[in-house]
Amino acid sequence: GPAEAYTGCVTLPSGDVLTTTGGGGFVVWRGRNYLRSVDGAHDNAIADLSLVSGEIPLLATCEGSKVKIWKAAELEVVMQLDLTTIPAIGAATTVSLHKSGSKVLVGTSERELYELSALGEGALEPKDEEEGGPTEEVPVGELLNTIAIGPSGSGITDFSSASTKVATLDADGIGRDGTVVVLDLEAKSIVGREVVIGGTSCCLSPDGSQVLVGKENGSGLVFGIADGIMTQAGVLTPPEPEPEPAPEPAEGEEGEEPAPVEEPATVAPISAAQVCRWAEGTLALACGATVYLYGSDFAPKGSASLNADVTAMDFKADGSVLMVATADFDLAFISAEDGSTLPDRKGRNGAWATSTVAIAYGFKGVLASLPHSGRDDPLCYAASGNLCAVGNRFGSIDLLPYPCTEKSSKVTVSGHGAGVAGVSFYGDDGFVSAGLTDGCLILWKVESDEVEDDAAAPEEEEEEEDLGFDKYDATQDAHLAESAEDVSERIRAIRANDSQTLYDLEDQDGEDPTAAWRDAVVEGKGSSAQVVPVDDLSLEWVHGYSGQSMRGNARYASTGEVVYPAASLGLVLDKTAVSERMVRSQKMMSVHAGPITALTTLGDLCATSANASVLIWSSADTSGVQGFSLLHEGCSALAFSQDGRYLAAASCDDAHTLHVFGLGAKQGLVATASTGKDKILDVAFSKDATTIVYGASNSFGVCTLNGSLLTVKRGLFAGQKRQAVFCCAFVSNGDEEKGVVGTQSGSIFTLDGRSLAEENHSHMGGPCYTMWSCTSVEGESDLDSVVLVTGGYDGKVKLFSYDMELRLEFDARQHSVDGSVSSACLNYDRRKVLVGTAGSEIFEFATNDESDLNKGPLVSGHCSGSLKAVACHPILQEVATVGDDGYLRTWSLSSHKQLRKLNVGHASRALAFLPNGHEIGVGLGIEGTDSKDAGKVLIVSMLKPSLEIAKELKDANGAITCISFSPDGCCMAVGSADSNIYVYDTLNSFVLKCTCEGHSDIPRTLDYSSDSLRIMSTSFAEMRCHDARNGDICGYDATMEISDYDGWTAPLGWPVLGCYPPHSDATDINAVCKSSDSTLLATADRSGLVSLYRWPCSQKLPAKTYKGHGGGVAMCRFTPDGAYLATVGESDRCLLQWARRSNGSCAKSKGALPPQTMSDVPPPPDYLEPEDPSSAEPSELVAPSTPPQLSFCYGVPPQLNRVGYSTHGDIVLGLGSKGVVYDKSSHTMRFFSSKNLVSAFACSGAYGAVAEVQGTVHVFDAETGRKCGSLPPSLKAVSHLVFSDDGSTLVGVGVGLNKLLTVASWTSMSGRWEDSVAAAASPIPLTNVGFACWGGPSSLAIGGVGDTDAPDILFCDVSGKNVSQRKTQSLSFAAYTAGGSVSDTILAGTPSGQLEVWAGATEVKRTQTTEAHAGGVTCVSGNISAGRDGWVKVWSSDLECLRSYFVGTAGITSLAVSLTKIATVCDGALVRSEE
């Protein structure tokens, strides 16, 4: 075809392709072949074309001022339109023909859009031509409509508005023509247009009847606007600058030459008028750093010179003052009469005609409110009423409250291209914006909040009304307490569950956290194997309840179980009557990485949030249902819709974004909206889920959900005092529904639209904290009509009917430590009320007689400040805790409940038991705070049913920080914040025996030697040893003999050197404790981890780690028998009891895993010398436009365990870097592709999983190969993967932190793997792994080669974020290569070919063995095994071979079993057998 530049193309009805050329012609193509061309269709390059298919296909083209319509088949012109007849200003750039051919749309380069008439009736009929006679002219179309006329063809550089008119300027310059356009916003039409050569700025007069245009020479032109015509009405001419007078020549002395005469100073030209403004009676032009003022007669009035160029100006509303901003961020106020500078602060107050000065007081908080904006990003400002608009260089506009004097919430809208030249408000509900580069004006409608009647500030600030209680302070919420802590990078990574950062830290050199005291350590005796302990911890019970930072978080499940949060756990408590006693059980949802900040329920559905994670789970078995991620960190409120379709979640970002998620398959984030600067405290859905009400810390709002659009409107207090709205709900009587809110004053209001309406003075003296709604039931009882349960600061729980009539009332203050009600609800039959209090207690009351059903709290906990002290009873299975709430509490580890409590009258952080258990020493005070009680020691008697203070001691001058009793019970040592240690004689009425001095810092721990003669004390960086008889310092040598100390709680010293992880701080470890059998060391650290090491830990040793607390762990203590470890959370105020699993020790394994053999790589083909590239002919082949698609793979995976069956019967393989789904019936494959080679594979039936060699794990659909998700990194390298039976948990085994073999787990709450969460990660005592399988006696079985004293097969319980190993029978082991679960047993295979059955609960034992395969067992799936002998065998429960199949001589590497089929990989082939 012709060598032309082609400008457009279209496919003709015939299938041929028509292209337009830069020369104005047509070229027609058939396939890739040139067909014909038409030259001269237009004079120049065709800009656009449009094709309409019909009975006669038509083609429209445009170029310059011409539009032509053609018969598409013949390329015969039938009509020509001339835009100059309209007249149009710009050249045609786009054309679109109506399907009937009767009209055509034409757009121009000046953003004009016209609708023209085209073909009339008979226009396409053939016409006879007279031979030699003239031909008829092509008819010209008429203008039907002016659709739109834009203000500028190349962009808008200045913008002004007045009344309903807007003026825009396309400043004269390269590609710009200096066009001034005036538009009427109401009529949406152009009322004037004029080209001003050299125009630099523009401004409308206050009434919009005239426009001022500043020019590049510093002058200004004034145009009048009338009847669509702009007429020059005046000229503003700045005064000519006068040159400075030449200096007089200096007279020299006689004989001297005269001084040279200086040249006269040149006159600097006047700068361009970059800004202009117009007020009543005054016009202002800013030229460089000078402002010139003119009167209404356009005569000069005065001028003002500033230090830098002027950037913006605004007149006061009365025109008396001009505010001027300069490039050096200075702000000046000048008189509009003569340009004189006004004194400081004079004339600054009052209303302004415009608000464009960015550094004005009203915009002070704008940059702080736009965190992602730099100083130069905002380009224009405007304000009106209570809103301001800020346009930026990215083309978006932010709306903020006005005046914006501090960090505020914002709403962002986008519509322009790069840059916004100006914004302005007009009318009651609109604003207009001008595009800097797109040249467009966009009109916006604004629905701003109504102004409260009482919102106007008085002239003199009045004293705020005293409501009788403190205002709500969001910063006091417990889950925010540790957010500002200065912690190490390691702790931040652990709290964020960020494994990748921990791996990155391993490759970096960090400071030694023990450097401050390491050199003073004297080496002790003994050592430990560098392997994780065989023993384990299992979280057995959680004591405590988060009743302070959340509300509405204790609820009944449909089964009557109680759901509530504590620390990072969602708990389900069941109490069942068995043999006339209540047996309590606790289920835990322990997947969250941080403290739970919100909880809501709907039947058995529970939703909890921590950080940005929202998890939905079932209270029946704590299994996952669905998971979501918020767009911002932190969640303050959750609510299900009543029909279970949606979940609302409020985040803690600056805009407090409200998220709405859809529940169910293929659902996710539905809508979001910003609610403002106030933290959201509660959320509630209407019955139809279209309306959402939220309460906030100083406001409330009503939202409308329409599809994916969430509209927020601030609530109106309607004359009531603005205050916090703590709770909200919708109540219904079946026919009607209304919203209700509970406020800080204690009143309950019904809502009328979005305004407070009817008031009910429900809770007196403080806020109404919580609401719970239900539906009324048929019946005559008062309880049957109850639809609303409320609770408040006054401790009252009230039950209301739909008409807000009080039906029943309870008083929780009679029972609770802090009776403020934080949660209240009814059970399903309305016989019980569940009440959660701010005292961290949960009660059940009977509705028939208001009695306490459990004779005390169902759940108890510490309720304020920190919890930093726990001690174990020396004889009984009990522990004691004391905290900042001033309560000493004792707990039963066997019955899992609080036994007794005592108010000690002051905050306490130290306690210890007397060795006989008869008394407890409790120290009062918090270091750093002054109190008359600080420094007291209370001796509390344990001998009576209730705790009693037997004696009070006061010798210390500071808070008590630690207490310890001597093993013989004769002495008590007390450490104080005054840096001294006081020793008391317990046998002589606790008289002061001696004082130990020598610490330069506050002592933190005290340990007596076994003979009770020495006291070892530590502070943050120093250790001392004192003579317990006289207080003398003994030196370091004695302290380092660790065998001399039965207990060890010192975080310093030789036996704990290795427990400080790399990249930790010296203060990261809060507490340590040695077990009574001297085999384990437990540590509690600020990250929230509890770690378990072998004792002594004198060198860097690997640890098992456990998570449950919601913040730093303050202290840990083993019970004297070593059966339990008790830990307390500093900020979550919870006591966690961990059961120790003493797994014993085994003889060192004598086995080894056989090396894996692979087929030899075939030799490469003979090398062929290529031709000289310089002599080769250039190829005419063109590279394909799309990459080739993988259609089939030949070959089988040679690695072990790479085959599985999908639920549809397809074979799923991990092959190369692919996950392959093979459909045997159609002999086709579907693929999931990863970037790197696959190192591990698993198949659950519905899903497949592959791990790349770098450790990344992907999950894909086992039917389609579609990727479901990539899992958060938890392992550096993965060797084995296994799904749980229900497919919702995936376990990986591989290399983790410190290059240790580690078990990691991931959970999908929905089971669809689009919402995966990293859960557990724990090292295991194996040196090599042969298999991992789900099920059997525990959750997970892992076999291989044990390390040191560990067994070769481990049975682990995987629960949330923790993995706990069960005890394995101590035997002589020889490694394991394969294993599978059969019911509650494990069938394990060995390298020697034996099969073993393992079963048991407390201790897992080997119950049966048999010789199965010659050469070793390679694969086990259920009760089917495969071996190196090439046989597949099916076994009975007593290991009798039922059937066997011979597959091949090379040995079987993979085995997959479905209900009817068996697939194996053997001899490089995939073999399928019918079972």
Side-chain angles (χ1 to χ4, degrees):
E4 291 269 9
Y6 295 99
T7 59
C9 66
V10 68
T11 301
L12 300 173
S14 63
D16 297 336
V17 175
L18 180 141
T19 58
T20 56
T21 71
F26 297 139
V27 178
V28 182
W29 307 80
R30 179 164 296 169
R32 298 172 60 185
N33 299 315
Y34 166 76
L35 191 62
R36 63 191 175 108
S37 59
V38 176
D39 296 329
H42 282 272
D43 295 336
N44 298 298
I46 297 173
D48 193 22
L49 71 165
S50 173
L51 177 73
V52 173
S53 298
E55 185 176 349
I56 301 178
L58 298 174
L59 178 71
T61 58
C62 65
E63 173 266 324
S65 62
K66 298 290 190 281
V67 176
K68 295 183 180 182
I69 301 177
W70 311 72
K71 290 183 180 180
E74 298 85 355
L75 294 181
E76 174 187 336
V77 64
V78 295
M79 176 173 283
Q80 178 172 300
L81 312 179
D82 192 344
L83 300 184
T84 59
T85 61
I86 299 177
I89 298 175
T93 57
T94 182
V95 64
S96 179
L97 188 62
H98 190 271
K99 62 181 180 180
S100 66
S102 61
K103 49 190 175 181
V104 63
L105 285 175
V106 182
T108 75
S109 57
E110 289 296 313
R111 288 167 170 78
E112 305 159 294
L113 183 60
Y114 300 105
E115 186 178 45
L116 307 175
S117 65
L119 302 177
E121 293 184 9
L124 299 178
E125 296 178 2
K127 296 180 173 58
D128 297 332
E129 295 185 5
E130 298 179 6
E131 186 176 350
T135 60
E136 292 187 14
E137 294 184 0
V138 178
V140 177
E142 297 180 357
L143 176 64
L144 296 178
N145 289 297
T146 301
I147 305 297
I149 298 181
S152 171
S154 55
I156 295 174
T157 55
D158 201 11
F159 169 87
S160 173
S161 68
S163 184
T164 62
K165 293 187 175 64
V166 168
T168 66
L169 171 67
D170 176 16
D172 191 17
I174 298 175
R176 300 179 180 277
D177 55 12
T179 302
V180 178
V181 179
V182 182
L183 301 98
D184 189 315
L185 298 178
E186 287 187 345
K188 295 183 176 61
S189 63
I190 291 178
V191 296
R193 182 195 293 263
E194 185 71 25
V195 176
V196 180
I197 303 300
T200 54
S201 58
C202 68
C203 179
L204 283 167
S205 63
D207 62 359
S209 63
Q210 294 177 295
V211 61
L212 167 63
V213 182
K215 298 188 65 179
E216 61 185 4
N217 61 2
S219 65
L221 300 179
V222 179
F223 295 90
I225 307 167
D227 301 327
I229 300 174
M230 291 176 57
T231 306
Q232 185 171 322
V235 179
L236 306 183
T237 304
E240 292 292 335
E242 297 180 0
E244 295 182 4
E248 294 290 335
E251 295 184 1
E253 295 184 3
E254 187 177 350
E256 292 184 359
E257 293 184 7
V261 178
E262 294 183 7
E263 293 290 331
T266 58
V267 178
I270 296 177
S271 301
Q274 72 268 25
V275 185
C276 57
R277 288 291 178 265
W278 195 328
E280 197 66 41
T282 306
L283 295 83
L285 283 177
C287 303
T290 304
V291 178
Y292 298 97
L293 301 175
Y294 302 86
S296 56
D297 58 354
F298 312 137
K301 294 175 65 175
S303 64
S305 295
L306 303 167
N307 295 327
D309 287 351
V310 174
T311 56
M313 300 189 297
D314 286 317
F315 272 108
K316 210 169 181 180
D318 59 6
S320 63
V321 178
L322 182 66
M323 176 169 54
V324 183
T326 63
D328 59 359
F329 300 101
D330 194 11
L331 194 62
F333 294 85
I334 63 178
S335 170
E337 291 299 319
D338 55 7
S340 59
T341 302
L342 298 177
D344 286 346
R345 305 193 67 83
K346 182 174 178 60
R348 298 190 180 192
N349 297 326
W352 296 85
T354 55
S355 299
T356 63
V357 175
I359 57 176
Y361 179 75
F363 298 126
K364 180 181 177 182
V366 166
L367 286 181
S369 305
L370 308 176
H372 301 295
S373 291
R375 178 187 293 175
D376 299 329
D377 288 344
L379 298 180
C380 54
Y381 292 75
S384 176
N386 60 350
L387 281 179
C388 66
V390 181
N392 60 41
R393 63 188 180 95
F394 307 108
S396 59
I397 302 162
D398 296 296
L399 295 177
L400 303 98
Y402 185 80
C404 183
T405 58
E406 58 185 15
K407 190 174 184 178
S408 305
S409 60
K410 64 179 176 67
V411 174
T412 303
V413 294
S414 300
H416 287 289
V420 178
V423 286
S424 178
F425 290 89
Y426 74 94
D428 296 330
D429 59 353
F431 77 94
V432 59
S433 60
L436 180 65
T437 57
D438 58 27
C440 291
L441 288 179
I442 300 180
L443 275 62
W444 308 84
K445 184 177 181 181
V446 180
E447 291 189 12
S448 62
D449 294 335
E450 298 177 30
V451 179
E452 299 284 356
D453 296 338
D454 61 346
E459 293 185 2
E460 295 183 3
E461 188 173 337
E462 299 179 357
E463 185 176 349
E464 188 173 342
E465 178 185 349
D466 183 11
L467 296 178
F469 47 87
D470 293 336
K471 271 195 167 185
Y472 171 77
D473 184 2
T475 62
Q476 296 303 310
D477 278 358
H479 66 275
L480 300 177
E482 293 188 303
S483 61
E485 274 192 296
D486 182 17
V487 297
S488 64
E489 188 173 2
R490 168 186 165 269
I491 286 185
R492 286 194 295 270
I494 292 173
R495 289 182 178 177
N497 208 23
D498 184 359
S499 297
Q500 188 58 54
T501 297
L502 294 175
Y503 290 138
D504 293 342
L505 287 175
E506 278 193 330
D507 300 329
Q508 303 172 17
D509 294 330
E511 296 182 1
D512 183 1
T514 66
W517 49 272
R518 186 183 190 93
D519 292 341
V521 168
V522 177
E523 186 174 347
K525 299 176 181 178
S527 63
S528 297
Q530 294 190 356
V531 63
V532 294
V534 176
D535 288 2
D536 236 313
L537 298 177
S538 175
L539 183 56
E540 185 173 285
W541 201 269
V542 179
H543 302 275
Y545 159 58
S546 302
Q548 298 78 42
S549 61
M550 291 175 273
R551 287 152 290 277
N553 61 353
R555 292 288 185 253
Y556 280 118
S558 60
T559 57
E561 297 172 312
V562 177
V563 181
Y564 63 100
S568 66
L569 307 164
L571 302 175
V572 182
L573 178 66
D574 183 28
K575 57 185 187 68
T576 306
V578 178
S579 300
E580 299 183 356
R581 59 185 292 265
M582 301 306 293
V583 176
R584 296 153 55 93
S585 63
Q586 197 179 63
K587 293 178 287 190
M588 304 175 191
M589 198 292 295
S590 55
V591 177
H592 283 298
I596 290 178
T597 57
L599 178 147
T600 189
T601 64
L602 179 68
D604 286 341
L605 276 184
C606 307
T608 50
S609 64
N611 300 324
S613 174
V614 178
L615 304 180
I616 303 173
W617 47 282
S618 169
S619 63
D621 54 5
T622 67
S623 60
V625 175
Q626 202 159 0
F628 302 110
S629 292
L630 301 181
L631 302 179
H632 311 277
E633 283 292 313
C635 180
S636 59
L638 293 169
F640 284 109
S641 63
Q642 298 177 36
D643 56 8
R645 288 188 298 156
Y646 299 110
L647 176 72
S651 63
C652 295
D653 59 310
D654 292 337
H656 297 99
T657 304
L658 185 62
H659 304 66
V660 178
F661 297 97
L663 306 185
K666 297 183 181 180
Q667 296 291 314
L669 185 61
V670 173
T672 63
S674 299
T675 62
K677 64 181 180 179
D678 300 327
K679 176 184 175 182
I680 295 179
L681 306 178
D682 197 15
V683 185
F685 277 93
S686 64
K687 189 174 182 179
D688 61 2
T690 61
T691 304
I692 302 172
V693 172
Y694 69 84
S697 58
N698 197 37
S699 60
F700 72 98
V702 179
C703 311
T704 302
L705 180 63
N706 184 7
S708 60
L709 178 63
L710 184 63
T711 305
V712 177
K713 291 188 177 181
R714 296 290 289 271
L716 303 177
F717 283 88
Q720 299 291 332
K721 190 170 184 64
R722 180 174 291 276
Q723 56 191 297
V725 176
F726 281 95
C727 52
C728 51
F730 280 91
V731 294
S732 172
N733 62 2
D735 299 324
E736 299 177 351
E737 186 181 38
K738 60 185 178 184
V740 290
V741 297
T743 64
Q744 187 174 0
S745 64
S747 294
I748 299 174
F749 292 89
T750 58
L751 296 182
D752 181 8
R754 61 188 180 109
S755 300
L756 298 184
E758 182 181 348
E759 180 179 10
N760 184 302
H761 297 281
S762 180
H763 297 276
M764 306 303 294
C768 174
Y769 277 134
T770 183
M771 285 182 173
W772 179 81
S773 62
C774 58
T775 56
S776 58
V777 296
E778 295 184 2
E780 299 179 357
S781 169
D782 285 345
L783 287 173
D784 295 332
S785 62
V786 169
V787 296
L788 183 68
V789 181
T790 68
Y793 173 84
D794 57 2
K796 300 294 179 62
V797 177
K798 300 190 176 186
L799 282 65
F800 294 94
S801 67
Y802 180 79
D803 298 325
M804 297 306 294
E805 295 181 1
L806 183 63
R807 297 302 190 189
L808 197 61
E809 180 179 306
F810 299 88
D811 190 351
R813 287 195 182 274
Q814 300 177 7
H815 308 272
S816 177
V817 170
D818 180 349
S820 297
V821 176
S822 55
S823 183
C825 68
L826 284 168
N827 76 327
Y828 71 98
D829 61 6
R830 304 182 179 229
R831 294 183 180 182
K832 296 186 291 187
V833 174
L834 186 71
V835 178
T837 73
S840 291
E841 296 170 312
I842 299 177
F843 294 89
E844 284 185 308
F845 298 109
T847 54
N848 60 348
D849 58 5
E850 303 178 23
S851 62
D852 181 358
L853 291 173
N854 301 292
K855 310 302 180 185
L858 190 63
V859 176
S860 304
H862 290 271
C863 59
S864 65
S866 297
L867 177 60
K868 291 191 173 183
V870 61
C872 298
H873 196 285
I875 301 170
L876 304 176
Q877 292 289 344
E878 295 180 13
V879 298
T881 57
V882 67
D884 290 358
D885 61 357
Y887 276 87
L888 169 68
R889 303 171 188 265
T890 62
W891 312 83
S892 171
L893 299 178
S894 55
S895 60
H896 305 135
K897 63 181 181 180
Q898 178 182 293
L899 299 175
R900 293 175 283 185
K901 69 176 184 289
L902 173 68
N903 187 351
V904 297
H906 195 272
S908 174
R909 296 183 173 183
L911 82 163
F913 277 95
L914 195 67
N916 60 14
H918 292 172
E919 292 172 319
I920 306 176
V922 179
L924 304 186
I926 301 175
E927 58 187 85
T929 60
D930 294 329
S931 171
K932 64 178 182 179
D933 291 323
K936 288 183 179 179
V937 179
L938 306 181
I939 307 302
V940 180
S941 173
M942 293 275 293
L943 298 177
K944 296 182 180 180
S946 60
L947 301 175
E948 292 183 359
I949 299 176
K951 196 170 186 64
E952 182 177 306
L953 311 174
K954 181 68 166 71
D955 293 288
N957 295 318
I960 305 302
T961 58
C962 48
I963 297 177
S964 179
F965 284 92
S966 62
D968 60 9
C970 296
C971 295
M972 177 181 71
V974 176
S976 169
D978 62 11
S979 299
N980 293 329
I981 299 168
Y982 301 88
V983 182
Y984 295 90
D985 187 345
T986 61
L987 302 181
N988 190 17
S989 299
F990 288 91
V991 298
L992 183 63
K993 187 175 181 180
C994 63
T995 301
C996 305
E997 300 177 349
H999 273 288
S1000 61
D1001 199 357
I1002 300 172
R1004 304 290 174 181
T1005 65
L1006 297 170
D1007 289 299
Y1008 268 94
S1009 61
S1010 304
D1011 57 10
S1012 301
L1013 298 179
R1014 288 165 293 174
I1015 302 172
M1016 179 174 60
S1017 61
T1018 65
S1019 62
F1020 277 132
E1022 59 185 3
M1023 176 179 282
R1024 297 287 183 266
C1025 183
H1026 310 269
D1027 191 316
R1029 295 164 293 188
N1030 53 30
D1032 294 342
I1033 295 179
C1034 300
Y1036 287 105
D1037 293 344
T1039 67
M1040 295 303 105
E1041 294 295 336
I1042 63 174
S1043 60
D1044 291 347
Y1045 294 87
D1046 290 338
W1048 189 288
T1049 62
L1052 313 182
W1054 176 79
V1056 297
L1057 271 171
C1059 71
Y1060 285 83
H1063 299 280
S1064 61
D1065 289 342
T1067 58
D1068 281 1
I1069 304 295
N1070 285 330
V1072 303
C1073 183
K1074 182 190 74 167
S1075 64
S1076 56
D1077 60 359
S1078 299
T1079 60
L1080 296 175
L1081 174 71
T1083 67
D1085 71 22
R1086 297 171 69 192
S1087 69
L1089 291 180
V1090 176
S1091 301
L1092 203 62
Y1093 296 85
R1094 291 177 181 256
W1095 175 270
C1097 187
S1098 56
Q1099 53 187 327
K1100 295 298 181 184
L1101 296 182
K1104 290 183 176 179
T1105 56
Y1106 310 90
K1107 188 70 182 288
H1109 285 286
V1113 187
M1115 186 174 284
C1116 59
R1117 290 293 183 264
F1118 278 106
T1119 55
D1121 61 358
Y1124 289 95
L1125 179 73
T1127 62
V1128 290
E1130 181 174 350
S1131 61
D1132 61 35
R1133 298 185 286 273
C1134 290
L1135 166 67
L1136 272 58
Q1137 68 178 69
W1138 306 81
R1140 176 184 174 184
R1141 291 183 173 179
S1142 299
N1143 295 328
S1145 60
C1146 301
K1148 174 69 176 175
S1149 175
K1150 299 179 181 179
L1153 295 183
Q1156 184 176 346
T1157 59
M1158 296 180 60
S1159 302
D1160 294 334
V1161 178
D1166 293 338
Y1167 181 70
L1168 300 177
E1169 185 71 29
E1171 297 180 3
D1172 182 4
S1174 62
S1175 63
E1177 293 291 332
S1179 173
E1180 296 182 358
L1181 296 178
V1182 179
S1185 57
T1186 59
Q1189 300 296 311
L1190 182 61
S1191 62
F1192 207 86
C1193 281
Y1194 293 92
V1196 293
Q1199 300 88 352
L1200 292 173
N1201 304 312
R1202 295 297 175 90
V1203 178
Y1205 269 108
S1206 73
T1207 52
H1208 300 276
D1210 297 334
I1211 296 177
V1212 186
L1213 307 94
L1215 181 61
S1217 62
K1218 312 294 180 189
V1220 180
V1221 182
Y1222 173 55
D1223 184 349
K1224 176 67 170 59
S1225 60
S1226 62
H1227 195 54
T1228 59
M1229 287 183 174
R1230 297 173 292 278
F1231 301 95
F1232 165 77
S1233 297
S1234 60
K1235 295 181 180 179
N1236 301 292
L1237 288 175
V1238 171
S1239 64
F1241 168 84
C1243 182
S1244 68
Y1247 298 96
V1250 291
E1252 299 184 26
V1253 290
Q1254 282 83 359
T1256 305
V1257 179
H1258 308 279
V1259 179
F1260 61 92
D1261 189 300
E1263 180 183 2
T1264 64
R1266 176 187 62 86
K1267 179 180 178 179
C1268 299
S1270 296
L1271 309 187
S1274 294
L1275 297 170
K1276 282 186 174 181
V1278 184
S1279 62
H1280 293 76
L1281 288 173
V1282 57
F1283 278 102
S1284 62
D1285 291 339
D1286 62 0
S1288 65
T1289 298
L1290 179 65
V1291 173
V1293 183
V1295 179
L1297 288 172
N1298 302 316
K1299 299 181 175 60
L1300 297 174
L1301 276 177
T1302 301
V1303 173
S1305 67
W1306 299 269
T1307 296
S1308 169
M1309 302 303 290
S1310 64
R1312 295 186 292 272
W1313 291 100
E1314 298 165 348
D1315 53 1
S1316 57
V1317 179
S1322 179
I1324 53 175
L1326 296 179
T1327 61
N1328 210 336
V1329 177
F1331 78 90
C1333 72
W1334 189 269
S1338 59
S1339 303
L1340 177 71
I1342 308 171
V1345 180
D1347 195 347
T1348 313
D1349 54 355
D1352 287 0
I1353 186 168
L1354 307 179
F1355 300 93
C1356 305
D1357 292 314
V1358 180
S1359 177
K1361 301 198 73 62
N1362 296 314
V1363 177
S1364 298
Q1365 179 184 335
R1366 292 192 182 185
K1367 185 176 183 179
T1368 304
Q1369 182 183 13
S1370 181
L1371 298 169
S1372 177
F1373 294 99
Y1376 290 93
T1377 55
S1381 64
V1382 184
S1383 186
D1384 57 354
T1385 64
I1386 289 292
L1387 188 64
T1390 69
S1392 63
Q1394 282 191 329
L1395 280 179
E1396 302 175 353
V1397 177
W1398 290 83
T1402 305
E1403 180 179 5
V1404 186
K1405 298 181 178 180
R1406 184 168 61 197
T1407 59
Q1408 297 179 71
T1409 64
T1410 188
E1411 296 293 334
H1413 294 275
V1417 181
T1418 57
C1419 308
V1420 175
S1421 178
N1423 64 332
I1424 302 175
S1425 66
R1428 292 182 178 273
D1429 56 7
W1431 285 89
V1432 175
K1433 298 183 179 182
V1434 182
W1435 304 90
S1436 67
S1437 58
D1438 56 358
L1439 287 187
E1440 178 184 350
C1441 184
L1442 301 177
R1443 291 183 298 278
S1444 60
Y1445 310 89
F1446 182 73
V1447 179
T1449 57
I1452 297 171
T1453 57
S1454 291
L1455 171 68
V1457 178
S1458 70
L1459 292 177
T1460 59
K1461 301 179 182 66
I1462 297 174
T1464 59
V1465 173
C1466 181
D1467 291 333
L1470 178 64
V1471 181
R1472 194 176 69 161
S1473 307
E1474 299 289 338
E1475 187 178 349

